[in-house]
C-alpha cells in the first residue's frame, strides 16, 4: 500500500526524500487550515467536490485537473460532501532543479496561476498509476524503477503544462484583481509597515472594506498572511546562515520577542535550533 502521511504532515510540511506519492480519499466534508510547505506539490484531482485556494485565488477543480503548488505558496483545500479522491505528489525543490524539471513550477510563480488542464492528462494518470505500483513493489531495482516513473511523469507534466495553463475565465477560479495587487505589494515590501491602515492608505481603500474583502477572498486575515510570509522569509535567511537577530529584522519583525514567539508557535523550535 502507498505510504500515508502522518496526521500532522500537512501542518509541518516536511519531506526527507526526493519525492513522495499519496493516493487519498476523503469521505466527509472538511476544511483544512491554511498552510504552506518547504517542498513543491502536485495535486491531481480524480473525483469529488473541492475548492482549492492558493495565494488568494480559489480554484474549482474538475476530474483530471492538476494543481501545481510551489513551495512557500499558502494554500487551503475546502472539501465538499462527496468522496474526494486525488493523487498528491510531494517534490523536493533541489531534486527538480538538479534534474531540470522545475520550469512548470517556475511558470506558476511567474503567472500566479496554479491550475493546469492539459491534453495529455490520460498519459499523466497512467504514469502516476505506474509510479504507485512501483512504490508498492519490493522486487529488484524497485527504488530505481519508482524514480524512473517519477521522472517520466515530471517530463510529461512539463511538456503538457508549459503553454497549457487553464485559461483565466469561465468557472475554474475566483479572484479579485485588487486583492491580487495588494498581495503582490505585501510580498515585495515585507520589511516595511504592513498594517491594515497602512495598506488601506496605499491603495486608497477603506480599512474595513480591505479587512472584509481580503478575508473573503483569501480565507485569512491580512495579519495572518503577512505573518506567514515574514516567517517564510525568516526561515530562508536562517538556512542561508544569517544570524538570528539579523534574520528577524530583515524579514520585517521590528521586535525580536514578537518574532521569537511567532517562530516557535509555527515551527515548535527556537530560531537558533532551526538554523
Amino acid at each position: 500500500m502507498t505510504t500515508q502521511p502522518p496526521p500532522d504532515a500537512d501542518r509541518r510540511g516536511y519531506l526527507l526524500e526526493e519525492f513522495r506519492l499519496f493516493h487519498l480519499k476523503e469521505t466527509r466534508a472538511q476544511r483544512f487550515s491554511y498552510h504552506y510547505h518547504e517542498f513543491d506539490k502536485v495535486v491531481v484531482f480524480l473525483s469529488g467536490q473541492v475548492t482549492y485556494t492558493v495565494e488568494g485565488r480559489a480554484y474549482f477543480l474538475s476530474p483530471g485537473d492538476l494543481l501545481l503548488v510551489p513551495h512557500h505558496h499558502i494554500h487551503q483545500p475546502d472539501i465538499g460532501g462527496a468522496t474526494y479522491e486525488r493523487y498528491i505528489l510531494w517534490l523536493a525543490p533541489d531534486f527538480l532543479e538538479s534534474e531540470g524539471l522545475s520550469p512548470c513550477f517556475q511558470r506558476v510563480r511567474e503567472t500566479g496561476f496554479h491550475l493546469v488542464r492539459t491534453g495529455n492528462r490520460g498519459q499523466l494518470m497512467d504514469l502516476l498509476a505506474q509510479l504507485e505500483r512501483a512504490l508498492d513493489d519490493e522486487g529488484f531495482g524497485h527504488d530505481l524503477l519508482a524514480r524512473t516513473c517519477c521522472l517520466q511523469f515530471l517530463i510529461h507534466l512539463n511538456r503538457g503544462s508549459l503553454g497549457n495553463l487553464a485559461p483565466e475565465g469561465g468557472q475554474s477560479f475566483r479572484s479579485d484583481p485588487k486583492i491580487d495587487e495588494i498581495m503582490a505589494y505585501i510580498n515585495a515590501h515585507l520589511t516595511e509597515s504592513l498594517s491594515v491602515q497602512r495598506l488601506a492608505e496605499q491603495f486608497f481603500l477603506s480599512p474595513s472594506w480591505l479587512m472584509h474583502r481580503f478575508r473573503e477572498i483569501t480565507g485569512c486575515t491580512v495579519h495572518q498572511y503577512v505573518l506567514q510570509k515574514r516567517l517564510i522569509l525568516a526561515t530562508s535567511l536562517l538556512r542561508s546562515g544569517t544570524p538570528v537577530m539579523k534574520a528577524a529584522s530583515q524579514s520585517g519583525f521590528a521586535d525580536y520577542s514578537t518574532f521569537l514567539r511567532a517562530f516557535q508557535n509555527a515551527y515548535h523550535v527556537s530560531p537558533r535550533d532551526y538554523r
Side-chain angles (χ1 to χ4, degrees), residues 180-248:
D180 288 346
E181 186 181 357
I182 292 169
M183 293 172 73
Y185 180 87
I186 289 171
N187 282 283
H189 298 83
L190 284 173
T191 60
E192 302 174 15
S193 173
L194 294 171
S195 66
V196 171
Q197 184 65 39
R198 175 71 182 85
L199 291 170
E201 292 172 357
Q202 175 70 28
F203 290 92
F204 306 101
L205 299 170
S206 159
S208 60
W209 183 92
L210 173 56
M211 287 190 297
H212 173 78
R213 187 59 174 166
F214 193 94
R215 183 155 195 165
E216 179 183 22
I217 293 297
T218 68
C220 63
T221 67
V222 173
H223 173 73
Q224 289 169 333
Y225 184 79
V226 171
L227 180 62
Q228 284 196 311
K229 287 297 183 176
R230 283 175 170 164
L231 287 172
I232 289 170
L233 176 57
T235 59
S236 296
L237 291 170
L238 290 171
R239 287 197 303 272
S240 69
T242 303
V244 174
M245 295 287 286
K246 193 172 182 179

Side-chain angles (χ1 to χ4, degrees), residues 154-176:
L154 292 170
I155 289 169
H156 288 286
L157 173 62
N158 275 277
R159 285 184 175 184
S161 64
L162 296 179
N164 283 285
L165 291 170
E168 299 200 15
Q171 300 299 312
S172 62
F173 79 101
R174 180 191 69 233
S175 68
D176 183 313

Side-chain angles (χ1 to χ4, degrees), residues 50-275:
V50 64
T51 301
Y52 232 103
T53 302
V54 189
E55 289 292 322
R57 179 166 286 177
Y59 298 94
F60 310 107
L61 302 187
S62 299
D65 282 351
L66 293 91
L67 198 71
L68 274 59
V69 184
H71 59 282
H72 296 167
H73 277 211
I74 298 173
H75 56 283
Q76 176 197 55
D78 189 357
I79 302 169
T83 299
Y84 170 38
E85 182 178 6
R86 72 281 193 197
Y87 281 113
I88 297 179
L89 182 62
W90 291 359
L91 298 157
D94 289 346
F95 166 57
L96 292 174
E97 288 288 341
S98 65
E99 299 293 344
L101 294 170
S102 60
C104 55
F105 285 97
Q106 183 59 36
R107 173 76 181 278
V108 169
R109 289 185 177 278
E110 292 169 355
T111 63
F113 200 67
H114 302 76
L115 178 61
V116 173
R117 287 176 175 163
T118 174
N120 68 342
R121 66 178 65 182
Q123 182 182 33
L124 291 172
M125 295 291 187
D126 289 342
L127 289 169
L128 278 178
Q130 291 178 33
L131 174 57
E132 186 174 25
R133 290 193 296 271
L135 289 170
D136 290 339
D137 188 4
E138 296 183 356
F140 174 80
H142 63 277
D143 289 341
L144 181 59
L145 178 60
R147 193 177 194 275
T148 301
C149 290
C150 184
L151 290 173
Q152 286 183 312
F153 172 81
L154 292 170
I155 289 169
H156 288 286
L157 173 62
N158 275 277
R159 285 184 175 184
S161 64
L162 296 179
N164 283 285
L165 291 170
E168 299 200 15
Q171 300 299 312
S172 62
F173 79 101
R174 180 191 69 233
S175 68
D176 183 313
K178 179 57 69 176
I179 299 301
D180 288 346
E181 186 181 357
I182 292 169
M183 293 172 73
Y185 180 87
I186 289 171
N187 282 283
H189 298 83
L190 284 173
T191 60
E192 302 174 15
S193 173
L194 294 171
S195 66
V196 171
Q197 184 65 39
R198 175 71 182 85
L199 291 170
E201 292 172 357
Q202 175 70 28
F203 290 92
F204 306 101
L205 299 170
S206 159
S208 60
W209 183 92
L210 173 56
M211 287 190 297
H212 173 78
R213 187 59 174 166
F214 193 94
R215 183 155 195 165
E216 179 183 22
I217 293 297
T218 68
C220 63
T221 67
V222 173
H223 173 73
Q224 289 169 333
Y225 184 79
V226 171
L227 180 62
Q228 284 196 311
K229 287 297 183 176
R230 283 175 170 164
L231 287 172
I232 289 170
L233 176 57
T235 59
S236 296
L237 291 170
L238 290 171
R239 287 197 303 272
S240 69
T242 303
V244 174
M245 295 287 286
K246 193 172 182 179
S249 63
Q250 289 185 351
S251 55
F253 289 91
D255 179 73
Y256 180 74
S257 62
T258 300
F259 166 69
L260 181 61
R261 183 168 56 253
F263 195 96
Q264 290 177 326
N265 286 339
Y267 298 101
H268 309 289
V269 295
S270 72
R272 295 185 188 282
D273 289 339
Y274 182 94
R275 194 176 73 133

